[in-house]
Amino acid sequence: MDKKEKAIKTPIKSGGLGWSVIGDEEIQAVTELLRSPELLFRYRGSQPTQSSLFERELEEKLGIKHALFVNTGTSALTCCLAGWEIGPGDEVIVPAYTYIATASAVVNVGAVPVLAEIDESLGLDPEDVERKITPYTKAIIVVHMQGVPARLDAIRAVARKHNLILIEDCCQAIGSKYKGEYTGARSHAAAWSLNYYKVITCGEGGVFFTNDDGAFLRGVYQSDPGTPMWDSDLKADLDIPPFTRAGYRSNEIAAAIARVQLKKMDRILEHTRKLKKLLLENLNEPIHYQRQHVDDPEGDCGISFAMIMEDKEVAKKFSDALREEGLVIGSVFNEGFPDRHIYSYWDAIITKTGATSKGYPWKDPAYKGNVEYSRDMCPRTLDILGRCLRLGIHVNMTEQNILEIAEAINKVDANL
């Protein structure tokens, strides 16, 4: 092929995931709700609501005992932590590559986030997780970034060895699986985000999952201080006194949209997984990069493909050469809004800035540890991400788009 001819000849339509398939079904669901005699607010009572119906549908589909629909993914993560009685004096290990919400949820319950390195999976490095464990460590939050399941078996082994709570942040990996089960199904708790950019969306929303009755009840109390007044039967036989904490109750309009989107999840993922498989089948053996490690390729959502280059200079040249071929790919070199999922952008965490000058939770009297942060504290994470190029795969891409993308990558890799 003529080197001057660009590999990308077919325009790649703009698009995303759940938001790109919003259609008449979602409009009808919201319209019917607005025309109903009573637009119910979300509460836990005997009368079915859009929220409670969505929760039951999730529990059945995922095989998880309890689901709670809340207003954001951050709130869902906070419920996970509160559900397992994590709070002041505790440390929670989080990856250095995730959205700040993961660390913020830890701060929300009064615990202290501890940052651990990622590896070539772009998820938690199990060995560094073990190095970061202290006498104050109570839990690990493993994040499945960009639809790719993390090294769950290895992380689970570390958690079991040290008797730690394991929480799965599945916010970027709705519908992902690990060894045949939905991610989150076998851990102490898990969280989804349903915001605009996720696999399915209702604009903004979150779901807290757990198989433990007590953890679920505490998560419900965390989410809505009014629950005990509205649902006297919720406690059942559990001796857990109600407490008042936050207000994470979602709304019925969001739930109505989410119910429709849930029915579209499998179709979305069938398409993205098919495209990623086609890409992998048409890529030559890498010369200047290695592919992101994927512990369970079958469970991968197929919404991203990452290449980790030999060094940063090669990454910059590779990115520039792909742009010449007509393909703009995600990297730290791109102009514009940087990847705020990198811990070094988490100003409030790095500087230990609380809502007041008292330095909560780091200076809480219950906390006896001493975690320190700096913008270069996770050098391996910064190195890997500095060499990483990532392609997003979405529902408006076609097989022809993918074949041309593979051609562009192969061409650049061969000619670099």
Side-chain angles (χ1 to χ4, degrees), residues 337-374:
F337 200 76
D339 188 348
R340 296 301 173 94
H341 296 81
I342 304 172
Y343 77 93
S344 52
Y345 290 105
W346 304 349
D347 292 346
I349 302 296
I350 298 296
T351 60
K352 298 183 180 179
T353 302
T356 72
S357 60
K358 295 181 180 180
Y360 183 85
W362 296 274
K363 293 183 180 179
D364 189 303
Y367 180 52
K368 307 302 181 184
N370 182 31
V371 62
E372 296 294 337
Y373 308 110
S374 68

Side-chain angles (χ1 to χ4, degrees), residues 193-210:
S193 166
L194 280 77
N195 83 7
Y196 183 74
Y197 299 102
K198 300 305 190 285
V199 172
I200 61 173
T201 183
C202 57
E204 191 68 84
V207 187
F208 155 54
F209 298 98
T210 185

Side-chain angles (χ1 to χ4, degrees), residues 61-194:
K61 184 170 184 60
L62 274 62
I64 300 178
K65 188 173 183 180
H66 298 294
L68 177 68
F69 183 49
V70 292
N71 59 345
T72 69
T74 311
S75 297
L77 280 170
T78 306
C79 289
C80 291
L81 294 159
W84 286 96
E85 300 182 88
I86 295 165
D90 297 330
E91 292 178 351
V92 179
I93 296 174
V94 303
Y97 185 45
T98 179
Y99 192 54
I100 191 174
T102 310
S104 296
V106 177
V107 174
N108 284 350
V109 296
V112 171
V114 174
L115 277 59
E117 299 271 22
I118 64 167
D119 60 19
E120 286 75 13
S121 68
L122 303 188
L124 273 176
D125 174 5
E127 294 182 0
D128 197 53
V129 168
E130 193 154 27
R131 286 191 289 266
K132 296 295 171 64
I133 294 172
T134 75
Y136 314 106
T137 307
K138 185 74 174 287
I140 302 167
I141 300 181
V142 59
V143 182
H144 307 300
M145 287 294 288
Q146 301 160 0
V148 178
R151 297 182 188 264
L152 262 181
D153 277 348
I155 299 294
R156 284 171 177 163
V158 173
R160 284 194 300 268
K161 177 180 176 182
H162 297 275
N163 195 29
L164 299 176
I165 301 299
L166 181 61
I167 294 168
E168 294 186 44
D169 180 339
C170 309
C171 293
Q172 291 195 16
I174 289 177
S176 61
K177 292 186 176 182
Y178 192 81
K179 306 296 176 66
E181 294 181 299
Y182 283 102
T183 52
R186 286 183 51 200
S187 293
H188 292 88
W192 276 12
S193 166
L194 280 77

Side-chain angles (χ1 to χ4, degrees), residues 40-54:
L40 292 171
F41 73 88
R42 193 281 185 271
Y43 71 96
R44 302 194 61 80
S46 58
Q47 184 173 353
T49 62
Q50 292 295 313
S51 297
S52 63
L53 291 170
F54 179 49

